[in-house]
Amino acid sequence: MLVEAGHFALALALGLSLIQFVVPLWGARSNDPVLMAVAPAAALAVLACLAFAFLALTVAYVTSDFSVINVVENSHSTKPMIYKISGVWGNHEGSMLLWVLILALFGAVVALSRNTVPVKLQANTLAVQGLVTIAFLLFILMTSNPFTRIMPAPSEGQDLNPLLQDPGLAIHPPLLYIGYVGFSISFAFACAALIDGRIDAVWARIVRPWTLGAWVFLTLGIAMGSYWAYYELGWGGWWFWDPVENASLMPWLAGTALLHSTVVMEKRDALKVWTILLAILTFSLSLLGTFLVRSGVLTSVHSFAVDPERGVFILGILIVFIGGSLALFAWRAPMLKQGGLFAPVSREGALVLNNLLLATACATVFVGTLYPLALEVLTGDKISVGAPFFNFTFLPLVIPLLFLVPIGQTLAWKRGNLLGTVQRLYAVFGIALLVTLALVAFRDGGPVAAPLGIGLGAYLVLGALNEIVTRSWSRGTPLATVWRKAAGLPRSTWGTVIAHAGVGVTVIGIAATAWDAEGLGTLKAGDSMSAGPYQARLERVVPRQEANYREDVALMRIFRNGQELGTVETMKRLYVTRGMPTTEAGIMTVGLSQVYVSIGEVHADGTIGMRIYHKPLVLLIWLGAVVMAAGGGLSLTDRRLRIGAPTRARTAPPASAVPAE
Amino acid sequence: MVIWIILLAMTAAAVMVVLWPLSRHSAVRGQADPNVQFYRDQIAEIERDRERGALLPAEAEAAKAEAGRRLLRATGLEDTASAAVGEPALRRRRAVSTLALSVVPILAIAVYGAYGSPHIFDRPVANAPQPQAQTQDLATAVSQIETHLAQHPQDGRGWEVLAPVYIRMGRVDDAVKAYESALRILGDDADRLSNYGEALVLARNGLISSDAQAAFEKAVKLDAGAPKARFYLAQAAEQDGQVEKAKAAYTDLLSISPADAPWVSLVREQLTRLGAPVPPAAAQAPQVGAADIQRMVSGLAERLESQGGSPEEWARLMRSYAVLGQRDKAEAAAQRARQALAQDDAGLKTIEAMARELKLTDAAQ
């Protein structure tokens, strides 16, 4: 009965979303506050319905109700409880339900922010939000219904894809979805502003926390996914330029650009039209990501079931929303009032350059991801676009961008002084150069990319911290005053500094991968192999039986220059229900570096194939992302109003001052 | 019935949520223009920052001038003439009420009607016939047999034992492979071929493929009386649209079957469904013991419980229990029948009639 009530709640949510779409829009057109007041009520009701539906499905999973096909196909009564729960979204249907649930959750938050959002903007935003909900509810009900029943009920389920039986599944999709869906709110606000024909600093102030929040979660979601792939897939890579990864990277790049352009808009009332366009593009890229992952166009662990009908449906949603919003943009954008003026060399100018580079980098990823697909559709040729393409196109765009970060952060609003800024960064340049030279000197030989990259990372970290130093320290000030001043800086400043430092940390981690060492061998018990300064000795191989899988466990003893560090286990598992083998890597963390062993073929004569990797500073890649997200979170807690304080011009403003757009 | 009451209550609640703000037109908030408020707050904050020393006086002046310019631009922009009163507003509100009262229930019920299955109850494994621990044991046992077979793949008996277990666990494809191995090692045999064919049919969701048909034909060739194979061959004829051939095949099967064979009722059902004359049941064989009857009755009960069935079958179950003197079970069966047939008025009548006939205590008068 609960399952059916959940199914019905889903259908009710569809009806309520239709009300949420039509009535507030009408109310806003006719300026009727009563009609507009329906929007928050409907949004909350939609949330209640979807939360109930999700709860019903979760209960079906937890109690292993095998009269629900979705549970049969993705669960098993002997599965550990955590995977029963995370299995709810470890499949196509359930994950789409989570998607709309988060959408409704955010809609409800907008509905509850009564006194900060102008009534009309709120009504229009919730209407757009309602339309998105309608589209995805129809998609779920018609092509991917998680509540379809089966009679007679099988006595046992088919188990969850073993690659997904991991704590990562409990965290990665919700984080990523909060990110994706958070951008839908920015999108809805952008459309609402276009419908109303009004956009200003107030709009930017309302949208910024949403964008920032979405960005924080997307950052964490991507980092989590990357770490998961690193330890689960068993070949030690952390980013594969796989189309599914790119599908999440594109909204992240566009979202990062959006984040920076909303700052300009809030503080300086400039870059309005561009910000709106970015908000639309970011969500469009989120939708595109959903399409690529969910339609079966790409085959990967993410595309749970290949079904052309679903692909066509999502393509339809894609065309309606991207086409519709861009048409709205083309029609309304010329009517928006232009914003403030600024000189090319200024904080705004630097942020425009940041946006240009990010947008171009995003376009590069877009081409690299979609070109092979388009080519295959048109000519049937299969080409593979991998790391070399992105190294040649993406990196040349990103490296100048990274160089720009500390400079842009130091420039003044409205009109800046490039020479003065560079002078303030002398110390930073110097230390970063020293770091690079020291690394080249101490680690003679080895690739030159590592020291250069680490130098760049150090420059980013120091450049970010320099902001705090220059704003609180001057020659002769007592240390206590410096501390007080630094602590008194706005949290958004600290947030920026920490997030930018996080970028530097990630860059250091990535650069250090150039030092990776790898060993490959066929071992029998007692044999050793080595990678870099580490050796691994195979102790023995033992079989083990668990509830829903059995495995061969290889016990490896790890030594560093002859001194024992401990034992790691690497396993080859067979999940019996699906008859699917997986490999579990054994990882030993030494400081920020890791030793990674992964079992290969188990031969008939008792020998086993084994890979070992030494990955120096590899943890910094993900720690950096966590630091970035922490910076974003800190900035999110700063509820101050922001206005860019321009320095008074000593001379008349330069004649080359350009309009914002 | 209960389910519909719940769904109705949910619908009513959803409609109320929409109607509620429409009825509160007097309480609509008069929101101060948030833009003007925003710049006022901003100027106040610049002032505070200057006092704290976070902004230099010159910077604060410049920022204040900027915010002031925007404040000037923002004032007077808002067209505050709200349209909450008057005849058009009233008409709009009525239209929206009608919309909420019609669209929400109609859409929800239409969509649910198309995709929902209100007659199926929740069947969590915890309440299902076999307890969890047994499932666990089964899984362990299966994995032990699998390990054994991985080392001794030529053990045909092992494959044959494993195959039906796979089917019970819903791993039909594995069952097909297991039967294939058993056939390869142990050779053809009517039962084995019939079971193999049945697994193939299950794997295709009831469709009898040419592989399955070949297996059944081979089984009949080995043993003309193989009931399972003959039954599926009759089904195959029906699926091919050869209804007459199917009827003949079912009638043949019935004529060679002992009257108490477990498949007889199933075959008779098929004949009834096809509209063919059903041969009268042969006289009950005298040697059938009470235990056999008990087994047949519980078999029927299990099938009705898991797959549902016609009102006549439910009535038969009730009567059987009553005849066996298990009146409490007969009453329970009547209850279950009423739940299962809640949508079927004629069926309910049949059940009630039987309940009255058997004088069950809770029969609806």
Side-chain angles (χ1 to χ4, degrees):
Chain A
M1 200 111 62
L2 188 61
V3 174
E4 289 305 311
H7 194 172
F8 188 73
L10 208 56
L12 263 184
L14 179 66
L16 286 167
S17 310
L18 193 62
I19 299 287
Q20 188 191 334
F21 169 53
V22 175
V23 177
L25 214 52
W26 189 16
R29 293 294 304 167
S30 53
N31 215 1
D32 186 337
V34 177
L35 262 51
M36 287 192 267
V38 170
L44 290 172
V46 169
L47 172 67
C49 285
L50 290 176
F52 181 73
F54 193 79
L55 180 83
L57 188 63
T58 310
V59 169
Y61 265 88
V62 169
T63 59
S64 295
D65 186 339
F66 292 126
S67 63
V68 180
I69 293 187
N70 193 246
V71 180
V72 178
E73 285 174 348
N74 299 292
S75 194
H76 194 281
S77 60
T78 60
K79 202 166 62 165
M81 184 53 76
I82 175 182
Y83 302 139
K84 280 188 187 167
I85 296 174
S86 62
V88 175
W89 56 80
N91 62 83
H92 170 77
E93 290 82 357
S95 71
M96 292 316 294
L97 190 60
L98 179 69
W99 208 100
V100 284
L101 175 66
I102 295 174
L103 192 68
L105 191 69
F106 286 177
V109 176
V110 174
L112 288 175
S113 50
R114 294 174 70 89
N115 294 318
T116 50
V117 184
V119 186
K120 225 178 195 179
L121 182 63
Q122 188 194 46
N124 282 326
T125 305
L126 287 175
V128 176
Q129 187 77 1
L131 189 61
V132 179
T133 316
I134 291 173
F136 278 90
L137 278 179
L138 279 176
F139 175 68
I140 291 178
L141 284 163
M142 289 167 69
T143 69
S144 341
N145 197 323
F147 291 110
T148 311
R149 309 295 291 272
I150 182 170
M151 259 302 154
S155 68
E156 197 43 274
Q158 296 163 4
D159 212 355
L160 182 67
N161 184 342
L163 286 177
L164 301 179
Q165 294 197 23
D166 185 280
L169 177 66
I171 316 167
H172 167 63
L175 286 180
L176 212 54
Y177 280 8
I178 293 175
Y180 276 169
V181 179
F183 285 127
S184 85
I185 302 281
S186 312
F187 168 84
F189 271 114
C191 288
L194 287 172
I195 292 170
D196 202 22
R198 235 183 102 172
I199 180 166
D200 44 35
V202 179
W203 182 92
R205 176 171 168 70
I206 297 164
V207 171
R208 204 178 92 94
W210 284 107
T211 315
L212 196 54
W215 180 87
V216 165
F217 281 104
L218 194 57
T219 307
L220 288 175
I222 293 175
M224 176 74 224
S226 157
Y227 187 63
W228 188 7
Y230 165 79
Y231 74 72
E232 182 70 33
L233 295 183
W235 30 299
W238 54 276
W239 190 264
F240 303 97
W241 292 109
D242 170 275
V244 174
E245 289 172 330
N246 294 347
S248 67
L249 182 64
M250 287 189 278
W252 188 84
L253 289 169
T256 312
L258 177 61
L259 200 62
H260 289 92
S261 79
T262 11
V263 175
V264 178
M265 193 168 151
E266 187 183 350
K267 292 208 178 190
R268 298 278 305 129
D269 208 18
L271 291 188
K272 289 177 181 179
V273 175
W274 169 245
T275 305
I276 292 270
L277 182 63
L278 262 184
I280 290 176
L281 287 182
T282 306
F283 182 58
S284 302
L285 289 168
S286 298
L287 280 180
L288 182 76
T290 312
F291 168 68
L292 288 179
V293 175
R294 285 282 165 272
S295 62
V297 171
L298 308 168
T299 327
S300 84
V301 66
H302 296 83
S303 46
F304 301 112
V306 177
D307 183 347
E309 192 192 339
R310 288 176 185 161
V312 172
F313 205 114
I314 303 187
L315 198 60
I317 295 180
L318 212 63
I319 290 168
V320 168
F321 281 102
I322 301 179
S325 55
L326 287 179
L328 190 65
F329 177 80
W331 173 45
R332 285 297 220 170
M335 302 178 200
L336 296 176
K337 225 191 287 123
Q338 300 288 314
L341 303 180
F342 55 83
V345 177
S346 62
R347 182 83 72 94
E348 294 96 314
L351 286 170
V352 168
L353 195 53
N354 143 311
N355 268 232
L356 281 177
L357 287 169
L358 279 171
T360 319
C362 182
T364 317
V365 179
F366 185 86
V367 170
T369 310
L370 289 194
Y371 177 73
L373 293 176
L375 193 70
E376 196 186 330
V377 169
L378 295 177
T379 66
D381 294 341
K382 268 186 193 290
I383 60 162
S384 160
V385 173
F389 170 83
F390 294 101
N391 288 346
F392 272 110
T393 54
F394 187 73
L395 289 188
L397 288 165
V398 169
I399 289 170
L401 177 65
L402 294 177
F403 263 111
L404 186 69
V405 171
I407 297 174
Q409 214 182 330
T410 317
L411 277 170
W413 288 102
K414 208 163 175 181
R415 60 191 88 81
N417 178 352
L418 190 58
L419 198 64
T421 302
V422 173
Q423 276 169 355
R424 283 206 272 171
L425 289 168
Y426 272 162
V428 174
F429 286 129
I431 298 173
L433 201 63
L434 275 180
V435 168
T436 311
L437 291 177
L439 286 171
V440 171
F442 283 109
R443 298 195 61 132
D444 48 353
V448 75
L452 284 179
I454 291 178
L456 177 61
Y459 161 73
L460 277 165
V461 175
L462 294 170
L465 296 176
N466 186 50
E467 168 95 2
I468 299 289
V469 173
T470 52
R471 284 178 69 168
S472 53
W473 180 80
S474 52
R475 205 177 291 277
T477 330
L479 216 57
T481 321
V482 173
W483 177 248
R484 198 172 45 78
K485 257 190 165 174
L489 286 174
R491 266 183 277 176
S492 64
T493 306
W494 274 103
T496 312
V497 166
I498 291 172
H500 287 168
V503 177
V505 172
T506 296
V507 168
I508 293 175
I510 295 173
T513 55
W515 284 328
D516 282 1
E518 183 183 344
L520 182 68
T522 308
L523 306 182
K524 58 180 183 297
D527 285 356
S528 287
M529 61 194 300
S530 68
Y534 293 92
Q535 297 83 40
R537 192 170 76 207
L538 177 65
E539 282 300 304
R540 58 182 186 278
V541 182
V542 286
R544 195 152 57 191
Q545 174 77 48
E546 293 288 335
N548 55 345
Y549 59 82
R550 59 169 180 267
E551 60 187 2
D552 290 321
V553 184
L555 291 165
M556 302 289 290
R557 229 170 240 206
I558 307 291
F559 299 89
R560 187 196 167 102
N561 301 326
Q563 189 189 354
E564 181 169 350
L565 297 176
T567 314
V568 295
E569 295 181 349
T570 168
M571 289 81 92
K572 203 157 197 82
R573 280 187 190 161
L574 182 74
Y575 283 80
V576 286
T577 305
R578 293 212 174 192
M580 189 166 159
T582 66
T583 307
E584 302 290 315
I587 297 174
M588 173 174 282
T589 304
V590 184
L592 293 166
S593 312
Q594 288 190 326
V595 185
Y596 185 113
V597 291
S598 177
I599 188 170
E601 198 77 16
V602 180
H603 299 290
D605 59 354
T607 60
I608 54 172
M610 186 66 76
R611 280 164 185 276
I612 172 170
Y613 305 88
H614 171 225
K615 300 198 160 280
L617 302 184
V618 71
L619 281 181
L620 287 183
I621 297 175
W622 304 291
L623 278 181
V626 173
V627 173
M628 276 188 240
L634 190 63
S635 184
L636 200 56
T637 61
D638 187 355
R639 298 298 301 155
R640 288 156 39 97
L641 303 155
R642 271 169 282 268
I643 188 159
T647 49
R648 190 171 289 277
R650 295 205 181 82
T651 57
S656 59
V658 287
E661 255 70 48
Chain B
M1 205 56 220
V2 184
I3 177 102
W4 289 108
I5 295 171
I6 294 176
L7 301 191
L8 204 67
M10 288 168 70
T11 317
V15 173
M16 284 313 295
V17 169
V18 180
L19 294 184
W20 184 65
L22 291 175
S23 67
R24 282 169 36 104
H25 46 88
S26 54
V28 163
R29 63 200 147 127
Q31 195 185 29
D33 185 349
N35 286 302
V36 174
Q37 196 55 42
F38 175 79
Y39 293 119
R40 288 221 176 98
D41 289 351
Q42 207 167 39
I43 292 173
E45 185 168 302
I46 294 166
E47 197 53 43
R48 275 201 303 279
D49 274 3
R50 194 182 59 83
E51 277 162 22
R52 280 196 312 136
L55 275 178
L56 295 174
E59 281 174 351
E61 278 316 306
K64 244 161 84 179
E66 175 97 25
R69 272 197 294 277
R70 292 191 208 163
L71 174 60
L72 273 182
R73 235 183 294 146
T75 35
L77 260 183
E78 188 80 347
D79 43 344
T80 41
S82 99
V85 286
E87 184 59 24
L90 203 61
R91 249 182 284 140
R92 273 199 298 269
R93 234 168 283 154
R94 283 204 194 111
V96 170
S97 308
T98 320
L99 198 68
L101 277 168
S102 57
V103 164
V104 174
I106 291 175
L107 201 60
I109 289 168
V111 168
Y112 181 74
Y115 301 107
S117 4
H119 55 281
I120 301 183
F121 295 89
D122 293 354
R123 279 180 55 92
V125 158
N127 299 357
Q130 78 260 51
Q132 178 110 12
Q134 203 176 328
T135 322
Q136 186 116 31
D137 291 348
L138 187 68
T140 321
V142 166
S143 78
Q144 274 164 5
I145 303 176
E146 277 171 340
T147 318
H148 166 77
L149 284 174
Q151 285 151 4
H152 307 97
Q154 291 305 313
D155 179 0
R157 283 290 306 153
W159 289 114
E160 191 155 34
V161 169
L162 192 55
V165 183
Y166 275 147
I167 289 186
R168 264 184 68 198
M169 295 172 76
R171 294 165 61 182
V172 181
D173 291 336
D174 288 330
V176 171
K177 283 190 205 115
Y179 276 126
E180 273 167 5
S181 308
L183 282 168
R184 183 166 38 84
I185 299 157
L186 300 177
D188 288 352
D189 165 83
D191 273 353
R192 205 171 290 136
L193 280 165
S194 304
N195 289 333
Y196 169 57
E198 189 175 33
L200 283 173
V201 173
L202 288 174
R204 300 285 302 272
N205 289 321
L207 191 77
I208 297 168
S209 59
S210 53
D211 287 354
Q213 176 141 6
F216 293 133
E217 278 164 359
K218 231 171 171 180
V220 173
K221 213 176 275 170
L222 290 172
D223 171 11
K228 191 181 270 178
R230 292 184 63 142
F231 177 78
Y232 276 111
L233 284 174
Q235 286 237 304
E238 195 188 328
Q239 282 180 8
D240 289 344
Q242 301 167 311
V243 179
E244 288 312 314
K245 191 175 161 194
K247 280 183 199 167
Y250 283 129
T251 318
D252 278 358
L253 177 55
L254 209 53
S255 67
I256 62 159
S257 303
D260 60 334
W263 60 85
V264 164
S265 65
L266 190 61
V267 176
R268 295 172 73 86
E269 229 169 72
Q270 301 297 321
L271 279 170
T272 323
R273 194 170 49 77
L274 293 175
V278 182
Q284 196 77 293
Q287 67 270 32
V288 176
D292 290 321
I293 296 175
Q294 184 69 53
R295 205 174 50 240
M296 278 162 60
V297 171
S298 52
L300 178 63
E302 240 175 68
R303 184 166 60 78
L304 288 178
E305 194 70 32
S306 61
Q307 303 170 19
S310 68
E312 284 71 23
E313 286 172 323
W314 281 106
R316 178 144 40 96
L317 180 66
M318 287 160 62
R319 184 191 283 286
S320 313
Y321 277 133
V323 170
L324 289 168
Q326 300 170 325
R327 296 192 62 81
D328 51 342
K329 283 197 175 173
E331 278 166 25
Q335 279 305 332
R336 293 286 299 121
R338 287 189 196 108
Q339 282 170 8
L341 300 169
Q343 317 302 314
D344 181 356
D345 282 342
L348 279 177
K349 276 200 191 102
T350 315
I351 299 297
E352 294 309 334
M354 180 54 76
R356 270 195 297 278
E357 192 189 326
L358 299 174
K359 301 201 171 55
L360 294 182
T361 47
D362 61 348
Q365 295 308 313

